Amino acid sequence: MSAPYVSRVPFESVHPKTLAVYCSDGRFTEAVEDLARHLGHPRIDTLTLPGGPALLNRWASDYLESEGFTKAARFLIESHHIEDVLLLAHAGCGYYHAKHSALGPDIAVEQQLKDLHFGAKELQTAYPHLRIHLYYVRPHGKTIEFEPILREG
Ligand SMILES: [Zn+2]
């Protein structure tokens, strides 16, 4: 047997109090962690599937997939005592392209924003104590911008 690889990243036994819900698209992974650090959350729990927060909206995504994703979010929030949630949608998301491309890119963005607001409302209703932050993520050349989206209502 070969020797195990030991990561330089130290293990911390305390769970992070922040959960980031975003798309699996690896082009944004490090930037999301960077945003979280910038916001004062050095470590995060993550919940990722293609489309990210899209799956919190059972009316606009596959119902069973949405149910599983929402259950996973609830599990993390409850058992890890999450206090802050980041919901992030990104430009050029393949999930939305596959699902809504016939409607054009503007409609896809509109749907992404709807899904962010829907997910935020659902989680806020279930967990009034949560601080929920919404972002729309856009690459600009070699940089990645996180536009904060104001909560509805
Ligand atoms: Zn995506």
Side-chain angles (χ1 to χ4, degrees), residues 96-148:
Y96 283 90
H97 184 74
K99 214 169 170 69
H100 304 284
S101 64
L103 304 172
D106 292 347
I107 305 284
V109 174
E110 216 171 278
Q111 186 62 45
Q112 286 181 295
L113 295 175
K114 266 187 207 162
D115 291 345
L116 285 178
H117 289 300
F118 186 94
K121 270 187 200 136
E122 290 272 293
L123 291 178
Q124 196 75 80
T125 303
Y127 307 102
H129 75 281
L130 283 183
R131 290 181 295 263
I132 303 174
H133 317 272
L134 312 182
Y135 286 93
Y136 197 82
V137 190
R138 274 189 199 86
H140 273 292
K142 287 275 175 201
T143 64
I144 298 178
E145 266 184 32
F146 292 85
E147 184 192 338

Side-chain angles (χ1 to χ4, degrees), residues 2-11:
S2 56
Y5 171 71
V6 179
S7 173
R8 283 174 299 175
V9 180
F11 174 70

Side-chain angles (χ1 to χ4, degrees), residues 23 25 51 90 93-94:
C23 183
D25 192 327
H90 73 90
C93 183

